[in-house]
Amino acid sequence: MPAFLNLPLETERLTLRPARLDDASAFFEFLSDLETVRYWWSPPAKDVSEIERQVQRAIDGLAANQWLDLSIVHRETGDTLGKCSLFAFFEQCRRAEMGYLLGRPFWGHGYMAEATAELIRYGFENLDLHRIEADIDPRNRPSARVLERNGFQQEGLLRERWIVGEEVSDTAYYGLLRKDWEAARQSAVA
């Protein structure tokens, strides 16, 4: 994969910048909130040191061009709102997976749709991806809406794929092809 250049990314209201260790306290607030992590891949965080280790892995992964983990920061207030990522790159097929998390205090303002739209643009234009994938818990309708607003299509359902704590859940698989993303952008301009 090409190097992760031209960072940070900017939108009208947000800056998407590489994760930093000082993000750990905001991430801990989000990742320890039961409602925020309801459909996350791990149970609520219990200690900020576990989040500090995750942030350090994100920093190391970016330096090694393995994955891109970006903090979502409000441009006016400087508040860290959440994060979004491209990871699981498969260079031969030019594909990657996308993940995201938004702190509960920031839900309902369109921030995640705005952040992921910019991350998708970066993936297709700067990283020359052919396909971006996402998997979500099918009960997470707000997450499905974020993907659908960005042009993703649900392509399948994997039954009982995740076990987090004692809860077993399905996975809804979504995909977005570069050609479909480009066609949508062209029709929006026309």
Side-chain angles (χ1 to χ4, degrees), residues 100-173:
Y100 44 87
L101 175 85
L102 189 68
R104 187 162 39 119
F106 309 107
W107 293 358
H109 299 283
Y111 293 132
M112 191 51 70
E114 184 176 332
T116 53
E118 181 60 15
L119 184 64
I120 292 163
R121 183 206 61 77
Y122 182 82
F124 287 137
E125 291 184 355
N126 291 66
L127 302 179
D128 194 33
L129 293 175
H130 174 73
R131 176 182 170 84
I132 299 174
E133 301 170 346
D135 75 272
I136 65 168
D137 187 311
R139 299 170 295 178
N140 189 347
R141 289 305 306 152
S143 186
R145 282 192 296 276
V146 165
L147 294 172
E148 291 160 2
R149 283 179 66 183
N150 279 301
F152 281 77
Q153 295 179 26
Q154 184 175 344
E155 300 175 336
L157 181 74
L158 299 178
R159 297 178 308 136
E160 298 185 8
R161 183 167 184 253
W162 290 100
I163 300 175
V164 178
E166 296 300 316
E167 185 173 5
V168 179
S169 63
D170 297 340
T171 288
Y173 254 110

